[in-house]
Amino acid sequence: QVQLVESGGGLVQPGGSLRLSCAASGSIFSASHMDWYRQVPGKQRELVAQITSGGSTYYTNSVKGRFIISRDNAKNTVYLQMNALKPEDTAVYYCRQWTSGLEYWGQGTQVTVVS
């Protein structure tokens, strides 16, 4: 019922910036919480940032002060502004929409940070 499509990934040098977008279909976006996760080969998928339906935000320690999550309910879109990127930020980034027993994942977008 819900489809999530990530975009905005790419290759960037250390210290650079990228802005990821996740566009959601469906009518429950504004009532849902949105997460950004990332995953690298051989490692567990990691929660990077979260924004609740009420606008409260959470960031994992490694991205605090560098990443900003935001949402535009009129556009059914959540964003992840990534600044001061580091090589260790390289991963596939996924968005997740969830509430109650419902959970939806996007297909991911690749972010590569390399000199």
Side-chain angles (χ1 to χ4, degrees), residues 12-109:
V12 66
Q13 293 184 355
S17 297
L18 286 173
R19 181 179 173 88
L20 306 184
S21 299
C22 175
S25 65
S27 62
I28 62 172
F29 179 85
S30 63
S32 301
H33 314 304
M34 300 296 299
D35 300 340
W36 284 100
Y37 282 76
R38 65 188 180 190
Q39 189 169 30
V40 300
K43 295 189 66 177
Q44 198 80 13
R45 189 169 294 187
E46 173 191 29
L47 176 63
V48 176
Q50 179 181 93
I51 185 165
T52 68
S53 61
S56 299
T57 58
Y58 162 86
Y59 302 92
T60 192
N61 285 337
S62 63
V63 308
K64 285 181 179 177
R66 300 189 297 122
F67 291 10
I68 302 172
I69 189 171
S70 62
R71 66 192 297 160
D72 186 340
N73 289 341
K75 297 181 178 179
N76 271 24
T77 301
V78 64
Y79 305 94
L80 186 66
Q81 178 67 46
M82 304 185 296
N83 301 314
L85 282 161
K86 305 174 180 180
E88 50 262 48
D89 296 319
T90 296
V92 177
Y93 284 71
Y94 301 88
C95 66
R96 181 175 78 116
Q97 177 178 339
W98 61 279
T99 186
S100 301
L102 300 175
E103 181 185 60
Y104 304 95
W105 290 87
Q107 294 301 304
T109 185

